[in-house]
Amino acid sequence: GAGVSQTPSNKVTEKGKYVELRCDPISGHTALYWYRQSLGQGPEFLIYFQGTGAADDSGLPNDRFFAVRPEGSVSTLKIQRTERGDSAVYLCASSLDGRANEQFFGPGTRLTVL
Amino acid sequence: GNSVTQMEGPVTLSEEAFLTINCTYTATGYPSLFWYVQYPGEGLQLLLKATKADDKGSNKGFEATYRKETTSFHLEKGSVQVSDSAVYFCALRGPLYSGGGADGLTFGKGTHLIIQP
């Protein structure tokens, strides 16, 4: 079956603009995670959804970052008033039903803020 | 908080050489430990894992043993191949009973492995 997919694969925007990044998890996976990977670093946890609700958003860096998963499947990561420091690869992962299960990662969206 | 430290790369080896990539961690309690691999042009894939002390994870000829006494999870392979060239990430996840911030994985910075024929 299909793996985790993310769109767009690349996004270039200007400082101050608003962006949305989309994640389609593996069908049937109730847990969904967002990570951010800066150049030369490992992925950094942002937020975890169990179903429709954000079970843990402690990794979101500030209130410019927000994520939703209204129907418990597709998730959108939203970044307001983008800054150059937001440039990174944003990774999405899903797992069958939460923390005890393997996380499957998508290919990522490379965000560049000019 | 949780943290993972792994040896910096790039690590360059000849084919059939023995590989060790060091990984140590800081965490409360008994976390689960993982090695992920990212091949060129591909997404992160789970390579192996261990969920309790003294467990050994293994896959594709790679092994790592969860050492609580040294807080380590070093990755080893007896004879590497060119196809093993990739970036390797050590990661941990907090124990199931721990609270906020423990649901996601905590990753090291990654080690770029280059195998020359």
Side-chain angles (χ1 to χ4, degrees):
Chain A
V4 177
S5 62
Q6 293 185 246
T7 54
S9 55
N10 281 282
K11 176 69 177 179
V12 180
T13 191
E14 294 180 344
K15 180 175 179 295
K17 298 290 188 182
Y18 168 83
V19 297
E20 290 189 351
L21 311 179
R22 176 188 167 108
C23 171
D24 277 272
I26 294 172
S27 177
H29 280 194
T30 63
L32 186 146
Y33 306 79
W34 283 99
Y35 294 84
R36 176 171 68 174
Q37 186 173 17
S38 300
L39 192 63
Q41 304 294 315
E44 175 189 19
F45 169 73
L46 296 177
I47 187 170
Y48 157 53
F49 285 90
Q50 182 59 254
T52 60
D56 183 353
D57 64 357
S58 61
L60 294 177
N62 52 59
D63 61 6
R64 295 187 297 106
F65 288 75
F66 189 70
V68 296
R69 194 185 186 202
E71 298 178 356
S73 178
V74 170
S75 177
T76 304
L77 179 66
K78 309 181 181 195
I79 310 174
Q80 299 177 323
R81 305 183 303 279
T82 52
E83 299 177 358
R84 293 194 180 87
D86 298 335
S87 297
V89 176
Y90 289 82
L91 298 171
C92 177
S94 71
S95 71
L96 185 61
D97 59 9
R99 300 178 67 225
N101 287 284
E102 177 183 351
Q103 295 181 27
F104 295 85
F105 282 80
T109 293
R110 182 176 297 279
L111 175 66
T112 303
V113 181
L114 301 177
Chain B
N2 298 335
S3 67
V4 174
T5 303
Q6 60 182 105
M7 61 190 294
E8 295 188 13
V11 173
T12 304
L13 297 172
S14 297
E15 205 166 19
E16 298 184 4
F18 183 85
L19 168 72
T20 301
I21 300 177
N22 290 335
C23 171
T24 56
Y25 68 88
T26 301
T28 54
Y30 290 81
S32 295
L33 302 174
F34 306 83
W35 277 99
Y36 277 81
V37 58
Q38 188 167 34
Y39 297 103
E42 299 184 17
L44 279 167
Q45 302 174 26
L46 178 64
L47 180 60
L48 54 84
K49 68 178 183 181
T51 58
K52 60 183 187 293
D54 299 324
D55 266 3
K56 178 185 284 187
S58 61
N59 186 25
K60 298 183 180 180
F62 290 89
E63 293 183 341
T65 301
Y66 187 164
R67 300 288 188 199
K68 180 67 175 174
E69 63 276 14
T70 54
T71 61
S72 65
F73 193 54
H74 304 322
L75 183 68
E76 297 182 334
K77 185 174 185 181
S79 176
V80 292
Q81 305 301 311
V82 172
S83 58
D84 293 327
S85 298
V87 181
Y88 292 80
F89 293 91
C90 186
L92 71 80
R93 185 181 60 218
L96 290 175
Y97 57 77
S98 58
D103 293 287
L105 296 168
T106 299
F107 285 86
K109 292 186 177 183
T111 303
H112 186 192
L113 176 65
I114 301 168
I115 307 301
Q116 296 177 332

